[in-house]
Amino acid sequence: MLKLTDVHKSFDKTEVLKGISLNVEKGSVTAIIGPSGAGKTTLLRCINFLEKADSGTLYFDDIHVDLEKVSKKTMLEIRRKTAFVFQNYNLFGNMTALENVMEGLVTARKVPKSEAKDRALKALEKVGLIDKADFYPSSLSGGQQQRVGIARAIAVNPDVILFDEPTSALDPELTGEVLNVIKQLAAEGTTMVIVTHEMTFARDTASHIIFMDKGLIVEEGSSSEIFTAPKEPRTRQFLQRLENI
């Protein structure tokens, strides 16, 4: 479904991605784990062109992209196949939860307002916030705001949802409500790529684990392979903190 080959990205003279290749199968949940500064978020942002990679190739269904020469038209085509859930929600403070979910449908995808409203209400219901449809972000908890962000992603019916550390801005007591929504989506077969520091969640929910460090994929495999019997010393070192889980 989605394939990246030999992706490179530098900021100034610092090489952040050093030749990343990965495959994302339809219906899979891919968790990208690793220490801070490993390049995880940059990789995620390069998939839908929030950052433009310096080189490499991207395959998305029947679309083949040379990342060095990609056109704006192709970028838009890829973005319409994806949805992005940000760390810090990125909600419009002057819009209600319902209006935030509708905005991308109406503005970017030109969906008629009546249809956009129906889809937005269904998405809010799915994340357990139908009763908060008319609330502004300032009246919502962090967990509720992030669930609005997930509803916004669901509403556009993307081929794949990209999550950038969706619980990192939350207090621990609010993390569970967001992870439960993601687990529900996983159970329904939603294709997702998730950058996360929540190791227990990654172990229990993801079908494929990618461990990154210093701009490289050090190791990848199934959840049981990575968390039970990692092959690389660096992976074992990183996962030692899970020994008591």
Side-chain angles (χ1 to χ4, degrees):
M1 176 186 181
L2 172 63
K3 179 179 179 181
L4 296 175
T5 304
D6 197 26
V7 175
H8 291 257
K9 173 66 178 176
S10 295
F11 293 100
D12 296 323
K13 295 182 179 180
T14 302
E15 192 175 19
V16 178
L17 300 179
K18 303 174 182 178
I20 299 291
S21 299
L22 63 85
N23 291 301
V24 176
E25 301 293 336
K26 185 175 178 62
S28 67
V29 179
T30 300
I32 304 175
I33 64 173
S36 297
K40 306 183 299 295
T41 291
T42 299
L43 173 61
L44 200 69
R45 291 172 67 88
C46 284
I47 292 175
N48 78 333
F49 301 102
L50 290 172
E51 298 286 354
K52 186 177 179 297
D54 299 324
S55 62
T57 55
L58 182 151
Y59 301 84
F60 205 134
D61 294 332
D62 57 347
I63 304 171
H64 176 203
V65 181
D66 180 339
L67 294 174
E68 186 177 1
K69 303 173 182 177
V70 60
S71 67
K72 289 183 178 179
K73 180 181 177 181
T74 302
M75 285 186 192
L76 182 59
E77 194 175 358
I78 296 293
R79 283 181 181 149
R80 285 180 171 163
K81 287 176 166 287
T82 68
F84 202 100
V85 177
F86 297 87
Q87 292 183 42
N88 296 309
Y89 328 134
N90 278 29
L91 301 180
F92 295 104
N94 62 340
M95 294 184 181
T96 64
L98 177 61
E99 289 167 342
N100 266 283
V101 178
M102 288 177 60
E103 177 66 15
L105 291 167
V106 173
T107 303
R109 304 188 185 227
K110 309 303 180 186
V111 175
K113 281 192 175 182
S114 59
E115 180 186 341
K117 184 176 181 179
D118 288 343
R119 288 169 62 174
L121 287 170
K122 287 178 182 176
L124 286 170
E125 184 173 20
K126 192 170 191 122
V127 301
L129 288 176
I130 191 69
D131 60 327
K132 304 292 186 183
D134 295 326
F135 283 55
Y136 288 89
S138 59
S139 300
L140 300 174
S141 70
Q144 289 169 336
Q145 289 185 62
Q146 189 59 292
R147 282 190 281 154
V148 173
I150 296 173
R152 179 174 56 189
I154 294 169
V156 299
N157 194 28
D159 293 335
V160 59
I161 302 178
L162 309 171
F163 292 83
D164 182 18
E165 298 186 21
T167 61
S168 67
L170 300 178
D171 294 333
E173 63 186 17
L174 299 176
T175 295
E177 65 187 64
V178 172
L179 296 183
N180 285 338
V181 170
I182 299 173
K183 288 177 182 178
Q184 176 190 339
L185 293 174
E188 294 170 358
T190 305
T191 308
M192 295 182 280
V193 182
I194 307 169
V195 170
T196 183
H197 288 296
E198 298 287 342
M199 293 297 102
T200 305
F201 164 74
R203 183 192 65 188
D204 295 344
T205 307
S207 50
H208 192 73
I209 305 290
I210 291 172
F211 172 62
M212 288 183 64
D213 190 26
K214 297 179 180 177
L216 295 166
I217 293 177
V218 176
E219 187 170 357
E220 61 180 306
S222 69
S223 177
S224 60
E225 287 171 337
I226 298 300
F227 285 99
T228 305
K231 297 175 182 177
E232 297 296 327
R234 181 66 184 96
T235 313
R236 291 197 295 272
Q237 180 189 39
F238 179 78
L239 293 175
Q240 278 178 350
R241 57 183 160 147
L242 288 182
E243 287 181 353
N244 296 322
I245 292 177

